[in-house]
Amino acid sequence: MRARLAWALSVTAALLMGSVHAQETATSIISDIRQESTGDSTRLVVESNGPLTYVHYPVDPLTIIVDIPDADVSKIPGQMNVGTAEVESVRITPMARAEGRSLARLEIRLARRVPYSVFSKDKTLNMVFERAVDNPVVDAAKAPKAGNGAAEGSRAQEPARAADVLDGEVQPAPAGPLVRASRILSVTHEGTASQFAISVKANGRLSYKDFFQGNPDRLVFDFKDVTMTPIRNVEVNIEPVRRLRVNPEFSKEPRVTRLVLDLSRRMPYRVVDSADGLKVYFGEGEPASPAPLAALRGETDPLAMPAKLNAAPAILAAPAPAPEPQAGAETFEPRVVGPTEKKFTGHPISLDFKDGDLQDIFRLFADISGLNVVMNPGISGKISLTLREVPWDQALDIILKTNGLGYTLEDNVIRIARLSDLQREEQDKRKLAEEKALAGDLIQWTKILSYAKADELQGTVQKVALSARGQITLDPRMNMMIVTDLPVNIEKAKDLILELDRPTPQVEIEARIVVTSRNFTRDLGVQWGFMNQMTPRFGNTTGMNFPNSILLNGGAVPNTTGLSPEQPGSTGLGETGRGYAVNLPASAVNTALGVSMANLAGNFNLDVALTALESKGRGRILSTPKVTTQNNLAAEIQQGVQIAYQTFSAQQGASVAFKDVFLTLKVTPQITEAGTVILHVEVTNNTADFSRSVGGVPPINIQAVKTNVLVSDGSTAVIGGIYQQSEQISRNQTPLFGDVPLLGYLFRNRALRNENTELIVFITPRIVKG
């Protein structure tokens, strides 16, 4: 098995060495193309009067192009039907290149994808297409069953040809020698818009030309040397074919039958030849037919479609205005040579140069791409490189980079120059464009602004709309702008000022500051005491010198704890002189119960006082500041007092200063495109606490929040809150006795204090409309 070559462009050694310049190359005359088929391959041999150089590359999986520079093909037919399992046909087209040089293009249509090789030997160019051994494409339901004979088994193992397969079904291969058709038997259509085909049946292989015509769009097939029975127009109305028309006598000398497909839209298509006619397939799912190559002379297709190497499917393209033969041209996207990432779309090629001349290499790329190449003076040098299966535009880019070169693309002309020359040209173009833009007479335009301040817009208009010669003069009294510049810049300034001088939307912002408080106090206290006197007055007649008199009494009670309003200086509940043994009253008394008891003799007295206090309180303060401002403009509102306090300094002595105690709302609204409002808000609610004044100056209770928040128009959001809870429990008691169960209540008091405060801040923006 011969070595299988990749589907890529390769260049022969004779061409790579670049030893012969274009102007010195003689034209080779191709005298014949013959077919030599064997059981496992198809060989096409191109005979010439001398050695041939060549370039070959695929344009789609079933089409191979072989270009032979400086070759004359006028002595051989323009089409050759091969009809083997590997190759269907060969189209020979003479082309024109730069400097008056010629190019012979062989378009080889394959029956299926097969390995192939191209090589030059003596005065011939050989193209060998090998038959691949793989699984046949056969419908499982139609596979041969055991016992059908060796002949059928051999047929089942034979690979199916692309021309023999439609929708997965294997068609019978033509048997015997190929016969040129003399009559078209029928023209039919089948399938749907997703896979649609026109079938032309004949009594042999058809010789045809296919091309596109516009206004209206139609695809035309001219069949040579065949006849058929006239048929009426057939309405198809399946995308993309509206109807088909046949003219059996389109031309009598030579005899041509024309088939016209009227199209509703342009769509990729593919033509498959067979031994008994052809089929035209439409749809993206089918491999595309290569577009016919425009010819310079010989047998050519009218209105031939230009080929595009870097496009896989052949798309119906607009024709030339006249049915004259024209040279095809390849195109590719212009690229900027630089460090940015590139996407290369050219077909892969293989290059192998040793000391190749740059000018000859660039001429080679002109042949590959079909574009005209112009080189700046002074570009010369040699390069050695080896590239395998690299997109041709990437290969060109690499060669340019290696030699410090770049290119510009104008229509179908590539100009190659040094990067420094291209950069200088771009700078000169830019300077020239700037000079042209600044040329001309200046005019003046005045505008009185209605909503915006002229001094605020001056910088924006100057920077965005005016040229280097433009200037702006302001009249603050009239809020007027006087603009002087070129007419085109004056129009820009007008549009910009009209866009900017608009009424600014307004926003009303309302805040609610809610302060709530709750307090609870409960005090329970006890006071009791006794007096026991054992004196001669109360019958103590012991006659002893010591102790002669004994007095047991509670401690003295301060005047402030006296419970007798008419006797504020009393020391207890009873008579003057008695006091409390346990003195633990409530801290603040609003309820009290006192009991004083004595015996009949009056020498023992017991005084008891129970005191209690319970208080509850609830408070609520609501503050609602409200302010309206324009979009993106800050606003502030305040309300409160200034508290005076005295300060001292060595220089000024005593002086009076003031402290602000304000309720303040500061806010900047920003209206979004969605109709919501972004608020940059600061709320302060300071109050003075005169209950805890020091030297007559009260402390300041500060309540503040500062935040950014997004709120819908008219909605209310809570932007802050503080909750405080204070609970105090205190107990005073007599040591030891206060801890005795039950009895301990006589030796202790208890106080409970509970306070809750809560601060909540709400914000509500409303966009003012109208």
Side-chain angles (χ1 to χ4, degrees):
M1 181 65 68
R2 298 182 179 90
R4 298 186 178 185
L5 301 182
W7 291 73
L9 180 152
S10 63
V11 184
T12 62
L15 182 60
L16 295 174
M17 294 303 295
S19 58
V20 182
H21 293 285
Q23 61 270 25
E24 301 171 355
T25 303
T27 301
S28 300
I29 299 176
I30 296 176
S31 58
D32 189 21
I33 300 180
R34 70 175 185 270
Q35 170 191 346
E36 298 178 356
S37 299
T38 63
D40 59 356
S41 66
T42 296
R43 179 190 296 264
L44 301 178
V45 181
V46 180
E47 295 184 349
S48 177
N49 63 344
L52 296 175
T53 59
Y54 63 93
V55 176
H56 68 86
Y57 50 90
V59 293
D60 63 52
L62 295 178
T63 305
I64 299 172
I65 298 296
V66 180
D67 286 343
I68 306 175
D70 305 306
D72 181 4
V73 292
S74 60
K75 295 185 178 181
I76 60 177
Q79 177 105 3
M80 174 181 177
N81 293 322
V82 180
T84 66
E86 294 80 35
V87 181
E88 291 185 354
S89 62
V90 180
R91 175 176 294 178
I92 302 96
T93 307
M95 309 289 291
R97 297 195 300 165
E99 302 175 355
R101 299 171 61 188
S102 61
L103 176 73
R105 173 162 292 179
L106 309 183
E107 179 185 346
I108 304 170
R109 296 190 179 185
L110 302 180
R112 58 180 300 172
R113 290 190 61 168
V114 294
Y116 73 96
S117 61
V118 182
F119 60 92
S120 178
K121 182 179 179 181
D122 298 331
K123 297 181 181 181
T124 63
L125 178 62
N126 297 264
M127 295 163 283
V128 180
F129 302 88
E130 301 177 3
R131 182 170 304 172
V133 179
D134 54 4
N135 294 328
V137 183
V138 179
D139 191 336
K142 301 181 180 180
K145 298 180 175 56
N148 286 347
E152 294 183 1
S154 174
R155 175 66 177 140
Q157 298 299 320
E158 182 177 309
R161 296 173 48 206
D164 302 330
V165 180
L166 177 61
D167 294 336
E169 182 178 353
V170 177
Q171 307 297 326
L178 296 175
V179 179
R180 181 180 296 273
S182 61
R183 182 174 180 81
I184 295 177
L185 304 177
S186 65
V187 179
T188 59
H189 62 85
E190 58 187 357
T192 62
S194 61
Q195 189 178 32
F196 178 68
I198 299 291
S199 178
V200 181
K201 291 295 183 180
N203 61 350
R205 184 173 293 272
L206 291 169
S207 174
Y208 67 94
K209 306 287 186 181
D210 57 288
F211 54 92
F212 175 78
Q213 291 182 334
N215 298 320
D217 294 340
R218 55 198 184 276
L219 185 61
V220 180
F221 289 82
D222 283 348
F223 301 100
K224 187 177 180 181
D225 298 327
V226 294
T227 62
M228 73 171 294
T229 303
I231 62 173
R232 59 182 179 84
N233 296 344
V234 179
E235 296 293 332
V236 179
N237 294 324
I238 299 178
E239 291 288 339
V241 180
R242 294 189 296 109
R243 74 173 65 89
L244 62 86
R245 297 177 282 125
V246 178
N247 185 354
E249 297 181 355
F250 177 77
S251 173
K252 294 185 177 180
E253 256 332 301
R255 187 171 59 187
V256 173
T257 296
R258 170 163 289 188
L259 168 65
V260 180
L261 305 180
D262 294 329
L263 304 178
S264 58
R265 65 183 180 94
R266 303 179 183 184
M267 179 181 290
Y269 74 97
R270 168 170 83 98
V271 182
V272 177
D273 293 331
S274 63
D276 58 349
L278 59 82
K279 284 190 177 183
V280 184
Y281 295 98
F282 293 91
E284 297 288 348
E286 291 293 335
S289 170
L293 299 172
L296 180 65
R297 62 183 182 272
E299 294 185 7
T300 60
D301 292 340
L303 300 175
M305 296 178 289
K308 187 172 184 180
L309 290 181
N310 57 359
I315 308 298
L316 294 179
E324 295 295 332
Q326 51 183 334
E330 308 295 344
T331 62
F332 67 97
E333 287 190 18
R335 306 186 185 282
V336 178
V337 177
T340 57
E341 182 181 358
K342 302 178 180 65
K343 181 179 180 181
F344 300 103
T345 58
H347 278 274
I349 65 173
S350 298
L351 298 175
D352 191 356
F353 289 95
K354 181 179 180 182
D355 295 331
D357 186 78
L358 280 179
Q359 294 190 4
D360 288 340
I361 293 174
F362 291 141
R363 288 191 182 97
L364 171 64
F365 277 101
D367 294 336
I368 295 173
S369 65
L371 299 172
N372 300 308
V373 176
V374 178
M375 288 171 280
N376 272 20
I379 295 180
S380 61
K382 295 183 179 298
I383 186 173
S384 298
L385 58 87
T386 299
L387 299 176
R388 300 298 181 196
E389 297 188 15
V390 177
W392 70 263
D393 47 352
Q394 183 180 9
L396 175 61
D397 187 77
I398 292 173
I399 295 173
L400 293 174
K401 284 183 179 179
T402 304
N403 292 273
L405 303 175
Y407 70 86
T408 61
L409 177 62
E410 300 177 3
D411 296 329
N412 65 339
V413 179
I414 294 180
R415 185 170 64 89
I416 299 176
R418 300 194 179 277
L419 287 176
S420 57
D421 295 338
L422 296 177
Q423 292 172 355
R424 183 171 59 254
E425 290 177 6
E426 291 299 324
Q427 294 174 357
D428 294 342
K429 288 180 181 179
R430 186 166 56 252
K431 291 179 180 179
L432 179 61
E434 292 174 354
E435 293 297 330
K436 288 182 178 180
L438 294 177
D441 297 330
L442 301 180
I443 62 175
Q444 193 175 82
W445 176 69
T446 60
K447 173 65 175 177
I448 298 177
L449 304 184
S450 301
Y451 305 101
K453 294 291 185 181
D455 56 347
E456 295 177 354
L457 295 187
Q458 180 181 9
T460 303
V461 177
Q462 181 81 48
K463 183 177 180 180
V464 176
L466 300 189
S467 68
R469 298 177 62 189
Q471 63 178 1
I472 299 176
T473 305
L474 303 181
D475 182 1
R477 182 180 61 88
M478 297 290 293
N479 196 29
M480 177 186 291
M481 299 181 69
I482 304 171
V483 185
T484 304
D485 207 339
L486 298 169
V488 62
N489 296 96
I490 290 293
E491 292 300 321
K492 292 181 180 179
K494 288 181 180 180
D495 296 339
L496 181 60
I497 293 174
L498 181 64
E499 185 71 21
L500 297 178
D501 188 29
R502 292 184 176 184
T504 304
Q506 297 186 128
V507 183
E508 176 189 82
I509 302 98
E510 178 182 353
R512 287 188 178 90
I513 307 168
V514 181
V515 181
T516 61
S517 62
R518 296 180 180 86
N519 59 74
F520 175 78
T521 303
R522 175 180 290 166
D523 281 357
L524 297 175
V526 63
Q527 295 171 289
W528 62 271
F530 62 93
M531 179 180 284
N532 186 14
Q533 302 181 55
M534 290 179 292
T535 62
R537 175 184 174 189
F538 293 98
N540 187 1
T541 58
T542 62
M544 298 176 62
N545 291 328
F546 181 84
N548 182 269
S549 178
I550 299 174
L551 177 65
L552 297 176
N553 194 6
V557 181
N559 291 342
T560 56
T561 61
L563 299 178
S564 177
E566 61 276 2
Q567 294 181 349
S570 65
T571 59
L573 291 175
E575 299 177 356
T576 301
R578 296 205 299 267
Y580 289 133
V582 176
N583 187 20
L584 298 172
S587 59
V589 179
N590 62 6
T591 301
L593 176 64
V595 179
S596 181
M597 297 178 289
N599 59 3
L600 293 177
N603 66 336
F604 181 82
N605 297 278
L606 177 62
D607 298 322
V608 179
L610 300 177
T611 57
L613 170 68
E614 181 172 306
S615 65
K616 296 180 180 179
R618 178 178 295 178
R620 181 173 181 269
I621 301 175
L622 174 63
S623 303
T624 309
K626 182 187 297 184
V627 66
T628 301
T629 183
Q630 290 184 342
N631 186 34
N632 290 316
L633 293 181
E636 179 178 354
I637 187 171
Q638 293 181 336
Q639 183 267 333
V641 297
Q642 288 184 325
I643 298 177
Y645 60 96
Q646 199 171 35
T647 62
F648 297 89
S649 65
Q651 294 79 11
Q652 298 180 355
S655 61
V656 177
F658 294 90
K659 176 66 177 178
D660 295 336
V661 183
F662 289 164
L663 167 64
T664 305
L665 171 62
K666 297 180 181 179
V667 65
T668 302
Q670 178 184 342
I671 302 174
T672 68
E673 289 293 335
T676 57
V677 182
I678 299 175
L679 298 175
H680 310 274
V681 61
E682 181 177 355
V683 179
T684 303
N685 186 29
N686 296 341
T687 57
D689 188 357
F690 289 96
S691 64
R692 293 182 292 172
S693 298
V694 178
V697 180
I700 306 299
N701 294 328
I702 298 178
Q703 299 170 334
V705 60
K706 182 178 182 181
T707 186
N708 298 322
V709 65
L710 175 66
V711 187
S712 300
D713 179 25
S715 300
T716 300
V718 178
I719 63 172
I722 299 175
Y723 179 79
Q724 288 181 310
Q725 182 178 13
S726 174
E727 184 175 354
Q728 294 180 346
I729 299 176
S730 62
R731 189 171 80 170
N732 298 314
Q733 69 179 28
T734 301
L736 299 180
F737 293 98
D739 295 327
V740 178
L742 297 179
L743 186 61
Y745 286 108
L746 297 177
F747 295 91
R748 64 174 181 257
N749 69 359
R750 185 174 184 273
L752 171 65
R753 290 178 176 82
N754 195 330
E755 293 183 0
N756 296 327
T757 60
E758 186 174 9
L759 168 67
I760 304 177
V761 182
F762 303 88
I763 197 77
T764 304
R766 297 182 180 89
I767 300 175
V768 180
K769 300 179 177 65

